[in-house]
Amino acid sequence: MAHPSAEQPLGEFALIRALQRRFARRKPALVRGIGDDAAVLAVSSRQWWHVTTDLLVEHVHFDLRTASPESVGYRAGMANLSDLAAMGALPRYSLISLAIPPSFRRPDVVRLYKGMMEACRPHGVTLIGGDTSASRSGLFLNITLIGTTARGQALLRSGARNGDLIYVTGRLGDSLAGLQLLDGATAKKRRRSTAISPAHRRYLIARHLRPTARVREGCWLNTAGLATAAIDISDGLSGDLHHVCEESGLGAELQEGAIPLSSACRAYARATGQNPTHLALEGGEDYELLFTVPPAKQTTLERQAGARGFRITCIGTMTRRRKGLRLLSQDGSRPIPITSYEHFRS
Ligand code: ADP
Ligand code: MG
C-alpha cells in the first residue's frame, strides 16, 4: 500500500480502519471480519474457519544479509501460525505467494520453502495453492493460513471483562534483543553487547530467527474454555494489549516485576544500558500469546498449564476503560506509552 500523503502520514492502523469503514460489509456467515488475528467464517454447522494472511517484504521485515532463506521462511510460517494460535484454531491449509527478484535463485526459493514447511508441517498444514511472480524490487512473501475450531468456539480480542487476569506465554523481549544483536542497532550498542556471553547471544538471536508459535497453548485455552480473549504478541506487549483493550472496551494494569524476562534478555539489557521492561513492552515478534482469564478459573488454568508443561505468567489485570493502560512498579503507577510497531510511522 502506498504512502497516503507525504505531509500527513496516516498510521497503518488508522489506514486499516479507514479502509474497513469504507469497504467492509456484513455477511451472515461472517462471524468476525477485519480487526482480529484472523477472520472467522461459519461455513458449516459444526466448524468455524479462521483465515489469516501476512505479507513479508525484503528490507522491511527481513534482511537476507543477516537471515538465511530458511529462517525467513520459518519466521514467516511461525508468524502466520501465531495468528491462528491467538484464535485458538487448529492450522489446516496454506496458500503461499511469492514475488521473486532476479538475485534470488531457484535454490534460494527451495530453501525458503524448506523453512516454511519446517514451521508448518509439524502442525499438519497442507499446502493448497498460491501465486508466483517476478519482482523488480526485493523478495515479497505472502502466506495465507486457514484453521478450524468447533462452531461457536474462538478466542477473540473482544472478549475480555473488567477484573480478568492478564497472562502471557513464554518470555518477552528476546526477539527484539536478538534483532538488535543482528543489526548491531548502533555502533555503541554493538561494542557493549560483546559483554554478554556467547550462549546468551546465541539464544537471543535464535529467539528472533526461530520463534515458536504457541499453537498447542492456543488450542488448549480455547477448547478448555479458560480464556475470555487472546492476541498474539507480534507488535509488542504494549501495542497488542492496547488492541485487546480497544476491542474489549477496557483498560489494563500491568505489574512491571511480573513480566517474564529471560536471563539472556536481562544480561543484554544491562550490557547495552536499556531497561529490559522496555524490550518486552516495545519489542515485537516474540509470537507469545497474551490472554485474559476470569479470576475464578485461575487455579484450574495454572494446574492444567503445569500438567501440560506450558509456561504461563500472570502479569496484570483488566480494568475500566477510563483507567487506560498503566504499569505498576516499585516507584508507583504510570501510563504505558503505546509504542507498537506501525508501518508508515517514522
Ligand atoms: P496481526 O498483527 O495480527 O497480523 P494486523 O495488525 O496485521 O494483525 O491486522 C489487523 C486487522 O486488519 C486484521 O483483521 C487484518 O486482516 C486487517 N487488515 C490488515 N491490512 C488490511 C488491508 N490492507 N485490507 C483489509 N484488512 C486489512
Ligand atoms: Mg496477530
Side-chain angles (χ1 to χ4, degrees), residues 229-250:
I231 189 168
D232 70 317
I233 303 182
S234 55
D235 296 330
L237 172 59
S238 67
D240 288 314
L241 176 58
H242 177 67
H243 290 315
V244 173
C245 288
E246 290 248 290
E247 293 292 321
S248 298
L250 294 172

Side-chain angles (χ1 to χ4, degrees), residues 144-307:
T144 300
L145 279 188
I146 301 171
T148 57
T149 60
R151 193 182 171 104
Q153 206 172 47
L155 303 174
L156 303 181
R157 294 179 180 181
S158 55
R161 302 209 200 99
N162 186 17
D164 279 355
L165 301 169
I166 303 166
Y167 273 83
V168 290
T169 60
R171 295 183 178 109
L172 304 178
D174 289 344
S175 181
L176 178 57
L179 176 66
Q180 288 184 359
L181 282 167
L182 281 175
D183 280 1
T186 63
K188 187 167 146 233
K189 272 181 196 156
R190 190 162 44 208
R191 265 203 315 279
R192 293 174 69 186
S193 67
T194 53
I196 71 166
S197 71
H200 279 163
R201 193 187 157 80
R202 273 196 305 275
Y203 168 84
L204 293 170
I205 289 175
R207 288 307 296 157
H208 177 72
L209 292 179
R210 298 182 61 85
T212 318
R214 302 300 181 186
V215 174
R216 288 184 308 132
E217 288 84 340
C219 287
W220 158 64
L221 290 167
N222 189 28
T223 51
L226 291 164
T228 48
I231 189 168
D232 70 317
I233 303 182
S234 55
D235 296 330
L237 172 59
S238 67
D240 288 314
L241 176 58
H242 177 67
H243 290 315
V244 173
C245 288
E246 290 248 290
E247 293 292 321
S248 298
L250 294 172
E253 194 170 68
L254 296 183
Q255 306 275 351
E256 179 164 24
I259 297 172
L261 301 166
S262 68
S263 53
C265 183
R266 285 180 203 278
Y268 173 76
R270 239 187 339 265
T272 53
Q274 301 183 80
N275 180 343
T277 306
H278 289 168
L279 289 171
L281 286 171
E282 292 158 30
E285 302 180 333
D286 280 312
Y287 298 117
E288 297 296 345
L289 295 181
L290 179 150
F291 56 98
T292 56
V293 177
K297 294 191 176 174
Q298 182 172 29
T299 314
T300 312
L301 173 90
E302 299 214 343
R303 186 169 33 80
Q304 290 194 16

